[in-house]
Amino acid sequence: MTVPKKSVLVLDCADPEPLARFYATLLGAEVGPAGDDAGLLLVAGHSGTVLGVRLDPDRVPPSWPLPEDPQRPHLQILVTPETLDEAEREAVALGARPVAAEGGDLRPGSRTTQRRYADPAGHTFVLTAVGVPAR
């Protein structure tokens, strides 16, 4: 029998509280401590999604997407096609910075169903329009 487990993607950053609040607001989630681990905050959403944000004072923001630096693990946030533009406005209003992948185009009207951003600490995430509800 396998021991029950829960997977959590953890983002390291120099200042975890603002980053945890960024993702909590973006995802409509709550922020709370991770038990006895004072350096880890958990962002828990209503759909059961959990994201960790951990203190690492020496963390340097990732440089993706540079040609010499391949795509790294990143969050992919699913939204319906009709809410993609609104989700993009929310992310940018909260401090996300649009980034282009190789061959990407940031001009209005030329965007695809996948839009790439850097969060306030420099981690990449993608808003992706899918044909089923995100929740």
Side-chain angles (χ1 to χ4, degrees), residues 4-109:
K5 300 170 185 75
K6 184 163 197 152
S7 297
V8 177
L9 175 65
V10 177
L11 301 175
D12 295 326
C13 66
D15 193 3
E17 288 186 35
L19 188 62
R21 283 194 305 272
F22 167 84
Y23 279 110
T25 303
L26 182 65
L27 299 171
E30 306 275 329
V31 176
D36 294 336
D37 189 342
L40 178 64
L41 295 174
L42 297 178
V43 179
H46 302 291
S47 65
T49 302
V50 179
L51 173 67
V53 181
R54 178 182 299 282
L55 174 64
D56 180 353
D58 300 321
R59 178 73 174 157
V60 176
S63 60
W64 181 85
L66 296 177
E68 66 276 6
D69 191 10
Q71 181 171 320
R72 296 175 181 221
H74 62 277
L75 294 176
Q76 190 141 5
I77 300 170
L78 308 179
V79 299
T80 59
E82 60 273 5
T83 62
L84 181 59
D85 291 336
E86 182 178 350
E88 178 175 44
R89 286 189 294 274
E90 287 177 353
V92 171
L94 291 169
R97 179 180 50 83
V99 295
E102 189 173 335
D105 191 345
L106 294 176
R107 291 174 298 156

